[in-house]
Amino acid sequence: MLSSFARRIKLFIDRNLLLKPEGFYLVALSGGCDSVALLRVMIELGYHIAVIHCNFQLRGEESERDEHFCEELCNSQKVPFHRVHFDTREYAELHHISIEMAARELRYQYFEQLRKDICADAILVAHHQDDTVETVLLNLIRGTSIHGLQGIKPKNGHVIRPLLSMTRNDIENYLSSIQQTFITDSSNLIADIKRNKIRLKVLPLLREINPSVSESITLTAKHLNDAAKVFDNALQESVERVTLVRKADRYVVDIDKLEREISPEQTLYTILKNFSFSSVQIENMAYSLDAPTGKKWLSNTHEAVIDRGTLVIAPLLDASNKVLKVPETGCYVWDDKVKFNITSHVIAPEFKPSHDPDKITIDAEMVFFPLIIRYARQGDRFHPFGMAGSKLVSDYLTDLKLSLVDKQRQIVIEDAKGKILWIVGRRIDNHFGVTRQTKGVLTLALMNE
């Protein structure tokens, strides 16, 4: 017969569709009471499991003691045991992060690697109700959105938390009832980490005010989880209303429509959080939507530019260094989506110049190799075909009402004498046009994949 603790866990698992009876799961075991209870209850419920223990080599003999305890426990319960040793301090120094963050990254990276290696369905970790309470309070202290007050979710990708409905007291009582020992990490008893301070100092004070504070905060987190679903749905509808273009190479927002939304800043945050912009930058954008064309913000990966009533978001582009040299006719790859095919041939009686914007035919005798394919630069000038006089390329593109982002990404081709022969996809230079005296033709074709 199942214990009452196991029955409650089973009910939580079934209610949240966390585990499959036929599944194979990897249990994260530290040796502390939470993870030991998780291991024992998974065995009691009859799930097919294996164990992973991480030795972070941070506490000397204690770390070795923990590993030995976990191995002995798994041997006694006849559960496959996997272990890994990390040089956590070196990893933290190398990546300029805290020891706590380094341990977390190392742990979950290895969990996922081992899960794939042994074909496990998911990784089970021992977070419980008190961890949710601590997380909510920690996020509240740091400052957070509605999502940060939802607590810990039962499932996040391949990480599952079957004990979230249980308190620490429930877990300790369960282990006592089955006479199962566990070990205590001495660092958890020292209030020098923010989470430990909340656990050891803040929560005891709150319980003096309300003995049921953990249950109250957990219930609030549940209500906020439901509210967040409504909030997210409304925000997604707002995003759809203000979005003009959504492509891999750009995202365009209608500023006028954005300003009519209930919360322009929240809508903007929902869009821009996927492009590495900070919350401070997004707040600044929200207050600068009336800025003139050309106002720009940069993240590590993208740029956001105000352009004639729109906000255009596009990947960063290093236009200054990208140059492709073309020594002769042939096929040349510009990037993974664009290539050029360049051929030459003697003009035939039936020849007709190309009117396709992505394919030009020019007088071969007027062209001097090598050609240079590059992005347009400030000061570039050419003689537009069919027009008198020369024109700055930037002015020509402005006349076409191209956005600043599109102008930055405009490709041009120049010959060995530095003359621009083609504003790619738009117009050739008068100097290179086919005439009655033309004997040979050079064909340049833009091919997009």
Side-chain angles (χ1 to χ4, degrees):
M1 179 182 293
L2 293 177
S3 64
S4 61
F5 183 84
R7 288 197 299 273
R8 289 170 63 192
I9 296 295
K10 183 68 166 60
L11 182 63
F12 182 76
I13 289 170
D14 293 344
R15 192 173 284 165
N16 291 278
L17 305 174
L18 299 182
L19 306 179
K20 299 176 291 186
E22 71 280 7
F24 174 39
Y25 300 101
L26 186 62
V27 175
L29 180 66
S30 68
C33 69
D34 306 335
S35 64
V36 169
L38 175 61
L39 172 62
R40 290 301 306 268
V41 78
M42 289 298 104
I43 293 172
E44 185 178 352
L45 291 171
Y47 287 103
H48 180 204
I49 59 172
V51 160
I52 173 63
H53 172 76
C54 299
N55 186 336
F56 297 102
Q57 302 185 91
L58 292 172
R59 294 177 290 113
E61 292 183 0
E62 263 197 20
S63 294
E64 302 307 314
R65 175 207 65 182
D66 295 355
E67 181 180 328
H68 179 71
F69 173 86
C70 291
E71 183 176 16
E72 290 297 311
L73 175 58
C74 289
N75 288 340
S76 68
Q77 297 297 319
K78 297 181 173 55
V79 176
F81 179 71
H82 302 268
R83 79 190 86 197
V84 62
H85 290 196
F86 296 120
D87 190 336
T88 312
R89 286 193 174 87
E90 181 179 334
Y91 182 92
E93 291 176 8
L94 182 64
H95 293 83
H96 307 290
I97 56 178
S98 67
I99 293 290
E100 185 181 21
M101 182 58 69
R104 175 183 171 81
E105 288 187 6
L106 288 167
R107 177 167 65 244
Y108 282 104
Q109 287 170 10
Y110 187 75
F111 285 171
E112 180 58 16
Q113 178 186 326
L114 182 60
R115 183 194 70 80
K116 291 178 179 177
D117 288 345
I118 66 175
C119 299
D121 292 289
I123 303 134
L124 310 186
V125 294
H127 292 115
H128 48 76
Q129 187 182 103
D130 291 31
D131 290 316
T132 287
V133 173
E134 292 164 10
T135 297
V136 169
L137 290 175
L138 192 60
N139 288 342
L140 188 62
I141 292 167
R142 290 170 175 162
T144 187
S145 67
I146 188 173
H147 298 97
L149 299 177
Q150 294 176 256
I152 302 173
K153 295 183 178 180
K155 185 174 183 178
N156 184 11
H158 290 112
V159 177
I160 295 176
R161 302 175 175 89
L163 302 187
L164 270 187
S165 62
M166 298 297 180
T167 66
R168 187 172 283 110
N169 283 337
D170 293 329
I171 290 169
E172 290 175 351
N173 290 337
Y174 170 66
L175 292 179
S176 177
S177 71
I178 61 174
Q179 298 182 326
Q180 172 63 60
T181 59
F182 56 89
I183 53 179
T184 301
D185 181 345
S186 60
S187 64
N188 288 336
L189 304 177
I190 303 172
D192 62 348
I193 299 175
K194 291 178 182 178
R195 186 175 288 274
N196 284 357
K197 286 180 180 178
I198 290 174
R199 180 184 306 141
L200 301 175
K201 293 186 175 182
V202 176
L203 275 172
L205 286 174
L206 292 176
R207 289 192 179 104
E208 290 180 12
I209 300 171
N210 176 10
S212 301
V213 68
S214 292
E215 291 78 5
S216 297
I217 292 175
T218 301
L219 183 60
T220 298
K222 182 180 181 301
H223 292 328
L224 288 171
N225 185 58
D226 293 335
K229 293 176 183 176
V230 178
F231 178 74
D232 289 341
N233 184 66
L235 270 180
Q236 195 53 48
E237 291 177 353
S238 176
V239 168
E240 294 297 328
R241 285 193 294 268
V242 305
T243 300
L244 296 176
V245 177
R246 185 189 282 112
K247 295 181 179 178
D249 65 340
R250 78 203 43 228
Y251 197 113
V252 183
V253 176
D254 186 309
I255 290 177
D256 185 54
K257 290 181 179 178
L258 177 63
E259 290 181 318
R260 292 202 297 267
E261 293 298 311
I262 293 175
S263 177
E265 186 174 343
Q266 281 295 332
T267 302
L268 202 54
Y269 179 81
T270 303
I271 293 169
L272 293 175
K273 67 181 180 181
N274 299 317
F275 301 118
S276 305
F277 289 96
S278 70
S279 57
V280 173
Q281 286 178 303
I282 296 171
E283 182 180 5
N284 182 263
M285 281 185 229
Y287 284 102
S288 305
L289 294 175
D290 59 349
T293 291
K295 177 69 174 176
K296 181 186 296 188
W297 295 265
L298 301 177
S299 75
N300 292 330
T301 59
H302 287 73
E303 62 179 342
V305 183
I306 299 285
D307 187 85
R308 290 172 294 185
T310 66
L311 181 69
V312 183
I313 304 105
L316 288 177
L317 178 72
D318 185 5
S320 60
N321 295 326
K322 187 168 179 63
V323 172
L324 178 61
K325 191 172 184 179
V326 178
E328 59 186 3
T329 57
C331 188
Y332 294 87
V333 177
W334 171 254
D335 58 27
D336 58 352
K337 293 182 179 179
V338 175
K339 60 183 179 180
F340 292 90
N341 192 37
I342 303 173
T343 58
S344 63
H345 52 90
V346 176
I347 200 163
E350 66 275 11
F351 169 79
K352 291 183 179 179
S354 171
H355 296 289
D356 184 341
D358 290 340
K359 181 179 180 181
I360 64 168
T361 46
I362 56 179
D363 191 326
E365 289 186 357
M366 304 301 294
V367 179
F368 293 87
F369 282 89
L371 305 182
I372 298 296
I373 303 176
R374 59 172 174 83
Y375 289 115
R377 297 172 185 156
Q378 193 69 28
D380 280 342
R381 184 177 286 274
F382 83 127
H383 294 76
F385 185 77
M387 295 175 61
S390 68
K391 196 176 188 71
L392 285 170
V393 171
S394 61
D395 289 345
Y396 171 75
L397 297 176
T398 297
D399 291 343
L400 295 179
K401 301 191 182 304
L402 265 65
S403 71
L404 290 173
V405 168
D406 285 321
K407 289 169 70 173
Q408 289 173 357
R409 286 157 175 75
Q410 177 62 56
I411 301 171
V412 301
I413 301 180
E414 66 181 13
D415 74 354
K417 292 188 174 183
K419 292 184 177 180
I420 293 175
L421 57 91
W422 188 22
I423 309 299
V424 175
R426 304 192 188 281
R427 187 164 294 194
I428 66 169
D429 185 286
N430 247 336
H431 181 73
F432 299 93
V434 174
T435 67
R436 287 191 178 92
Q437 288 74 42
T438 299
K439 298 177 182 178
V441 171
L442 194 68
T443 300
L444 291 81
L446 169 68
M447 293 180 286
N448 291 297
E449 295 182 358

